[in-house]
């Protein structure tokens, strides 16, 4: 298990459950777009960020981008670190070693 000082903020419960299996730190949820309606949650994120730092780990989709920008616009940058997980197309398991890679998605 990876021990880190900073807290991590994720979008939802599933993200928190998965991440808690790998990282030993405080993990907070935004509740998706609930963060926009919950000033107390944003104040909590700000307090935690100022005390120990905050890693923002949201999905690589439109909603994740909007939530990340909300946090970035509210909490001073010196307290934030941004972690990105690239989009994975197809949603299936990774190919077996030595298997041919699927073609990239058409644009």
């Amino acid at each position: 298990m990876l021990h880190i000082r900073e807290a991590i903020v994720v979008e939802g419960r599933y993200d928190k459950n998965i991440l808690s299996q790998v990282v030993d730190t405080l993990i907070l949820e935004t509740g998706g777009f609930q963060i926009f309606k919950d000033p107390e949650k944003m104040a909590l994120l700000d307090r935690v960020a100022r005390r120990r730092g905050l890693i923002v780990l949201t999905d690589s989709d439109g909603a994740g981008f909007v939530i990340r920008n909300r946090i970035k616009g509210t909490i001073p940058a010196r307290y934030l670190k941004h972690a990105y997980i690239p989009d994975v197309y197809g949603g299936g398991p990774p190919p077996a070693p030595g298997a041919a890679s699927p073609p990239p998605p058409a644009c």
Side-chain angles (χ1 to χ4, degrees), residues 47-102:
R47 283 192 309 273
V48 168
R50 290 172 188 272
R51 287 193 181 125
R52 58 193 290 180
L54 187 66
I55 298 172
V56 181
L57 181 61
T58 57
D59 296 340
S60 299
D61 57 10
F65 182 75
V66 170
I67 293 166
R68 179 183 299 274
N69 281 333
R70 169 68 175 194
I71 294 168
K72 191 164 65 170
T74 305
I75 299 172
R78 67 180 173 270
Y79 302 117
L80 296 176
K81 292 181 181 176
H82 294 275
Y84 296 90
I85 298 174
D87 284 332
V88 177
Y89 296 100
S101 299

Side-chain angles (χ1 to χ4, degrees), residues 1-10 16 19-28 48 52-55 57:
M1 184 154 300
L2 181 63
H3 301 279
I4 58 174
R5 180 185 192 287
E6 295 92 344
I8 300 174
V9 61
V10 296
K16 181 178 179 178
L19 196 57
S20 67
Q21 296 174 30
V22 181
V23 180
D24 180 26
T25 193
L26 174 63
I27 303 171
L28 301 164
V48 168
R52 58 193 290 180
L54 187 66
I55 298 172
L57 181 61

